[in-house]
Amino acid sequence: MAPPLSAAAAPTTRTARLDALVADVREAVGRGLAPDVTAYLVGEKLAPHLGARDLLTPAQTEGDPERYRQHLLHAEDDGSFSVVALVWLPGQATSVHDHVSWCVTGVHRGEEHERRYRLLPAGAVGERATLVATEDVTNPQGSVCGFAPPGDIHRVWNGCGEKAVSLHLYGADISRLGTSVRRVYDLPADR
Ligand SMILES: [Fe+2]
């Protein structure tokens, strides 16, 4: 779920636990299954690591007072997947966006809030395309979500009073793209 950000930073030093996660994800992605099935399998690999104190280095959980921050943790050499940590200070939020690939998110620390949308094309309810909010979700520490386009429009924010950190895995090369966002939506929403 990650948003337009400054260009992704180069991968930094990694913990042994993160290396183990990357190896597990490599095996899951290497099966070459459908995107939604791949996302499900990757979510299973991610879940046991969430909250572990030895998953991330202190530098990989540093925030930015100006905006939520992306730390690129791994980009697979063949471009088949990437792992990033997103660090949110209280109140920081994404735009409404969708994604270039399958995506798995897991809350490592704190709590994230998410609003999901459906896009109604122009002519359905008015002259302009419109976003309809379909679901509000609270993702507590340890929760995992996986999805694949289409139908993956959402906005995410930190609604808790402390720093939140989440792991995001994408079926794309974030070291090259800089972001997983396919499109930012600046459209009327129903609420
Ligand atoms: Fe997203």
Side-chain angles (χ1 to χ4, degrees):
M1 86 185 69
L5 299 159
S6 50
T12 51
T13 302
R14 301 202 314 228
T15 65
R17 182 183 282 276
L18 185 64
D19 280 339
L21 170 61
V22 166
D24 281 351
V25 171
R26 180 177 295 127
E27 188 276 326
V29 172
R31 296 189 203 178
L33 301 173
D36 56 338
V37 180
T38 298
Y40 180 82
L41 294 175
V42 169
E44 284 191 325
K45 303 295 187 186
L46 174 62
H49 299 284
L50 295 171
R53 287 174 167 268
D54 58 347
L55 179 61
L56 300 176
T57 67
Q60 290 164 346
T61 65
E62 286 181 2
D64 179 341
E66 297 298 318
R67 61 193 306 181
Y68 72 95
R69 182 173 178 184
Q70 173 176 280
H71 297 270
L72 177 63
L73 304 178
H74 175 79
E76 186 74 347
D77 287 343
D78 65 3
S80 58
F81 71 94
S82 301
V83 184
V84 308
L86 295 186
V87 181
W88 318 72
L89 301 182
Q92 291 182 333
T94 70
S95 56
V96 179
H97 65 276
D98 62 9
H99 311 84
V100 295
S101 70
W102 61 260
C103 176
V104 173
T105 70
V107 180
H108 180 58
R109 171 176 163 185
E111 184 177 271
E112 289 182 359
H113 296 254
E114 178 187 10
R115 178 164 292 175
R116 298 174 182 169
Y117 297 90
R118 186 158 53 94
L119 182 64
L120 295 181
V125 293
E127 293 184 1
R128 293 187 64 189
T130 304
L131 290 173
V132 179
T134 56
E135 199 172 4
D136 281 322
V137 181
T138 298
N139 299 314
Q141 193 280 323
S143 63
V144 173
C145 295
F147 47 88
D152 57 326
I153 304 171
H154 71 169
R155 175 175 178 271
V156 181
W157 67 96
N158 178 1
C160 69
E162 58 181 291
K163 179 193 285 186
V165 180
S166 51
L167 270 286
H168 297 239
L169 295 94
Y170 306 108
D173 185 352
I174 302 303
S175 70
R176 183 175 62 83
L177 300 174
T179 174
S180 68
V181 168
R182 184 183 74 94
R183 177 183 168 187
V184 170
Y185 293 82
D186 182 18
L187 294 172
D190 70 338
R191 62 184 166 106

